């Protein structure tokens, strides 16, 4: 599947602001079904870029989709245990998504955030830096102003594990006695919400193979579905599939298991890999956690 979209955004406010910007997006995706002994597995790959010249070639996308489908053949359940997990870079943002929701100004102002009292405190491993850069060239989330006409800027949301900024629009900033951070987002009607722009977990020093070697044995998570979160406590769980590895080497595929834990604890033990890819407006390298509860057969 291939697509091209173009759009233009114009904003005029009662405060006298008038501005516009436009952009394009080129996308290419493939889905592959692999079969062995009557059992089928699905693999997919997709890419989106602002410029056509940056888009991966169709044969590259198709080959990766096929590799991923084949890699899941022979998948089996695991017995329940605690073990290291590595969230592959393409899905690692899903464990960071609850953090973005928890530092959103409206949630903090309403008191429905497990991070509402954590500003200025170390909430993640000291190896984690989370940057929002709305001015990144060719970024999928790049913009010169937010949806209230406020100028945007590059900022650290998390620096060396310390929570450094909320995501604020003018309403939530006023409720908290602060200044807006330029993160307002809105549709054609209704009040403004908040959203990040180009959110990126900065890479570490070790690639995926080295993270697997460091962990020894564990679970490489390649797909995640149905995540569940208690926004007040940070208790989190998700169904996953992936590959079980031992001595740093993949042994067999895994499916139909669940991982769970409290994010305040899991975040403190994240180790970023070096394999950052800028695939969308939210990006992360692979992330290692030294021990996570796995519920299986």
């Amino acid at each position: 599947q291939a697509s091209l979209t173009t759009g233009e955004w114009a904003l005029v406010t009662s405060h006298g602001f008038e501005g516009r910007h436009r952009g394009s997006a080129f996308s290419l995706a493939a889905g592959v079904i692999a079969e062995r002994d009557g059992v089928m597995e699905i693999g997919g790959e997709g890419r989106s870029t602002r410029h056509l010249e940056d888009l991966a070639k169709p044969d590259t996308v198709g080959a990766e989709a096929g590799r991923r489908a084949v890699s899941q053949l022979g998948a089996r359940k695991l017995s329940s245990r605690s073990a290291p997990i590595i969230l592959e870079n393409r899905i690692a943002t899903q464990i960071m998504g609850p953090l973005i929701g928890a530092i959103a100004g409206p949630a903090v102002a309403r008191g429905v955030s497990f991070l509402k009292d954590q500003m200025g405190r170390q909430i993640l491993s000291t190896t984690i830096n989370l940057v929002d850069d709305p001015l990144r060239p060719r970024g999928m989330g790049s913009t010169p102003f937010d949806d209230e006409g406020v100028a945007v800027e590059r900022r650290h949301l998390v620096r060396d594990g310390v929570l450094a900024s909320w995501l604020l629009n003018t309403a939530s900033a006023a409720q908290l006695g602060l200044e807006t951070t330029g993160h307002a987002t809105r549709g054609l009607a209704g009040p403004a919400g908040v959203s990040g722009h180009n959110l990126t977990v900065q890479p570490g020093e070790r690639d995926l193979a080295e993270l697997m070697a460091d962990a020894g044995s564990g679970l490489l998570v390649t797909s995640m579905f149905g995540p569940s979160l208690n926004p007040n406590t940070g208790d989190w769980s998700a169904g996953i599939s992936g590959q079980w590895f031992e001595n740093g080497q993949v042994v067999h595929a895994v499916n139909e298991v669940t991982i769970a834990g409290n994010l305040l604890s899991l975040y403190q033990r994240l180790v970023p890999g070096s394999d950052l890819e800028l695939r969308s407006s939210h990006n992360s390298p692979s992330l290692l956690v030294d021990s996570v509860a796995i519920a299986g057969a």
Side-chain angles (χ1 to χ4, degrees), residues 157-226:
L157 303 180
V158 175
R159 186 188 297 272
D160 298 331
V162 175
L163 181 58
S165 177
W166 305 124
L167 300 180
L168 302 174
N169 55 21
T170 55
S172 60
Q175 288 177 289
L176 295 170
L178 302 170
E179 296 292 327
T180 178
T181 58
H183 285 98
T185 183
R186 68 191 316 153
L188 297 178
V194 296
S195 176
H197 302 295
N198 291 311
L199 294 165
T200 305
V201 177
Q202 299 299 293
E205 298 179 352
R206 302 179 72 75
D207 63 21
L208 179 57
E210 290 172 316
L211 289 182
M212 292 171 66
D214 289 344
S217 298
L219 182 58
L220 173 63
V221 180
T222 59
S223 181
M224 186 180 297
F225 52 91

Side-chain angles (χ1 to χ4, degrees), residues 20 53 98 114 116-117 130 135 144 151 182 209 224 249 257 272 279:
R20 67 178 59 226
E53 65 192 44
F114 65 95
K116 62 181 182 294
D117 299 320
L130 176 61
L135 304 177
M224 186 180 297
Q249 301 296 317
V257 299
R279 303 173 65 97

Side-chain angles (χ1 to χ4, degrees), residues 116-169:
K116 62 181 182 294
D117 299 320
Q118 301 297 316
M119 179 55 64
R121 298 181 181 178
Q122 186 182 333
I123 59 167
L124 291 97
S125 160
T126 57
T127 61
I128 298 295
N129 288 276
L130 176 61
V131 174
D132 189 27
D133 185 3
L135 304 177
R136 191 178 75 212
R138 302 193 177 197
M140 295 301 292
S142 295
T143 180
F145 53 85
D146 77 354
D147 289 359
E148 292 178 324
V150 175
V152 294
E153 63 181 8
R154 185 180 189 272
R155 67 174 63 225
H156 269 81
L157 303 180
V158 175
R159 186 188 297 272
D160 298 331
V162 175
L163 181 58
S165 177
W166 305 124
L167 300 180
L168 302 174
N169 55 21

Side-chain angles (χ1 to χ4, degrees), residues 78 81-88 91 95 211-212 215 217-221 224 236 240 243-245 258-260 266 269-271 286-294:
L78 290 174
R81 65 189 74 184
S82 292
I85 67 164
I86 299 174
L87 299 160
E88 188 184 36
I91 60 98
I95 199 173
L211 289 182
M212 292 171 66
S217 298
L219 182 58
L220 173 63
V221 180
M224 186 180 297
W236 175 84
I240 63 94
Q243 281 88 43
W244 180 256
F245 60 89
T258 300
I259 57 176
L266 297 181
R269 294 179 283 122
L270 290 176
V271 178
S286 295
L287 298 172
L288 165 67
V289 188
D290 58 0
S291 181
V292 177
I294 300 172

Side-chain angles (χ1 to χ4, degrees), residues 18 30 36 52 63 65 74 79 87 108 140 167 177 180 183 186 191 203 207 216 223 231 263 267-268 274:
E18 181 177 353
R36 179 190 295 161
L52 180 59
S79 59
L87 299 160
V108 175
M140 295 301 292
L167 300 180
T180 178
H183 285 98
R186 68 191 316 153
D207 63 21
S223 181
L263 291 177
Y267 285 162
Q268 290 280 347
S274 62

